[in-house]
Amino acid sequence: MKKLEQLYEGKAKKVFAMDDPNVVLVSYKDDATAFNGLKKGTIEGKGAINNRMTNFLMQMLEKNGVPTHFIEEISDRETLVKKVNIVPLEVIVRNVAAGSLSKRLGLPEGTPLRRTVLEYCYKNDELGDPMVNEYHIAAMGWADDQTMKDIAAYALKINDLLIQYFRPLNIDLIDFKLEFGITNDGQLVLADEISPDTCRFWDSRTHEKLDKDRFRRDLGGVEEAYQEISHRLLGE
Ligand code: TMP
Ligand code: ASP
């Protein structure tokens, strides 16, 4: 298969066309942004860590019945994935209060939640990815009711599988963000990435933050946190 032109450059990844119309190549960058691009920086080695970690977790999820866009890792930073139409939603799964939920509801970070919370944000940088509910999604036609049922069921299943996977590594999965897409043959699949950019990981013994919050909040030890997660998960 041959790599063709660049289709898109996002904040953390570039996407290239391939000579197969059902496949695209994703290339992970070391660039980091926060607060809708207001804060910019570089996290040395992040691209390779996020690529390898995403692919590892997506293969684990596939084995457990969650369809994903993953096809093949072709280098440290590059992966072939199924071309999809992205459902324009960020699907947020929360087990413990943190971040914007803590702010919105005045809950100290670390407050356990009685049950898992699902939230949806409309993917639109100009609007700052506003939170929406299922009524907005149906009214705007961003996804149909069956697709939303499937997305919610997959999101909860992914949460269960990830929690179980991370527990023996002494990592608490506080919350995370997923994106889904529809392939050219109409299949709903998990897309985008699962990485310290898109998850909150806390050390279960020390409660130390091992994710992008170290960059967002200028906590220091950013590269070290990514390496620590990579080491626990991949042994690298
Ligand atoms: P939040 O508490 O800021 O809403 O973030 C919830 C989760 O979603 C957290 O694990 C980080 C992740 N996230 C992204 O992946 N991309 C984003 O643009 C934002 C705001 C959060
Ligand atoms: N990556 C997102 C941005 O630049 C937000 C984040 O991860 O905090 O806006």
Side-chain angles (χ1 to χ4, degrees):
M1 234 185 291
K2 242 179 57 200
K3 181 170 163 185
L4 304 177
E5 78 279 7
Q6 181 174 308
L7 295 174
Y8 174 77
E9 177 160 5
K11 291 189 279 244
K13 299 190 277 305
K14 294 178 185 173
V15 180
F16 295 86
M18 298 294 293
D19 55 0
D20 179 338
N22 298 316
V23 178
V24 294
L25 183 151
V26 179
S27 179
Y28 285 74
K29 307 191 287 186
D30 284 351
D31 299 354
T33 65
F35 314 117
N36 201 14
L38 234 58
K39 182 180 170 80
K40 288 191 175 67
T42 302
I43 302 175
E44 199 87 27
K46 168 171 95 78
I49 288 175
N50 288 4
N51 181 43
R52 298 173 67 83
M53 178 169 167
T54 295
N55 295 341
F56 179 82
L57 291 173
M58 286 205 181
Q59 288 173 86
M60 184 278 283
L61 294 172
E62 285 272 1
K63 279 192 205 121
N64 287 283
V66 177
T68 77
H69 72 168
F70 176 77
I71 301 174
E72 187 189 355
E73 185 171 294
I74 57 170
S75 75
D76 252 18
R77 290 173 186 274
E78 294 176 312
T79 295
L80 296 176
V81 301
K82 293 178 185 168
K83 186 181 170 83
V84 296
N85 275 319
I86 280 284
V87 176
L89 297 172
E90 299 201 333
V91 178
I92 295 169
V93 184
R94 299 183 185 272
N95 298 305
V96 174
S100 68
L101 179 70
S102 283
K103 265 211 180 110
R104 203 177 329 124
L105 301 186
L107 296 170
E109 284 205 310
T111 308
L113 300 170
R114 282 182 185 76
R115 55 164 294 179
T116 305
V117 171
L118 281 188
E119 293 172 358
Y120 304 106
C121 294
Y122 173 45
K123 264 172 72 70
N124 183 312
D125 281 343
E126 275 170 42
L127 300 176
D129 299 340
M131 195 193 287
V132 294
N133 65 29
E134 273 120 325
Y135 290 88
H136 299 111
I137 295 166
M140 301 303 294
W142 292 323
D144 61 36
D145 289 352
Q146 187 57 51
T147 302
M148 289 314 296
K149 276 195 186 128
D150 294 343
I151 284 178
Y154 282 140
L156 294 174
K157 180 167 181 176
I158 291 165
N159 187 42
D160 289 343
L161 290 166
L162 292 179
I163 287 175
Q164 276 181 48
Y165 207 88
F166 283 111
R167 187 175 294 132
L169 309 176
N170 290 311
I171 297 167
D172 287 343
L173 181 62
I174 304 304
D175 57 32
F176 58 99
K177 187 263 298 181
L178 300 172
E179 295 186 25
F180 291 86
I182 311 222
T183 61
N184 288 343
D185 53 12
Q187 194 192 15
L188 178 68
V189 295
L190 177 66
D192 196 49
E193 64 180 276
I194 307 175
S195 72
D197 275 22
T198 61
C199 303
R200 285 196 171 94
F201 296 124
W202 293 2
D203 184 284
S204 52
R205 291 166 296 192
T206 64
H207 307 297
E208 188 190 359
K209 296 183 199 312
L210 296 172
D211 56 59
K212 193 177 165 189
D213 272 347
R214 301 204 75 83
F215 169 81
R216 294 188 188 101
R217 302 178 187 189
D218 296 320
L219 300 176
V222 182
E223 274 89 0
E224 290 79 359
Y226 279 72
Q227 281 157 15
E228 178 62 27
I229 288 289
S230 166
H231 180 69
R232 288 197 204 177
L233 191 69
L234 308 169
E236 293 170 354

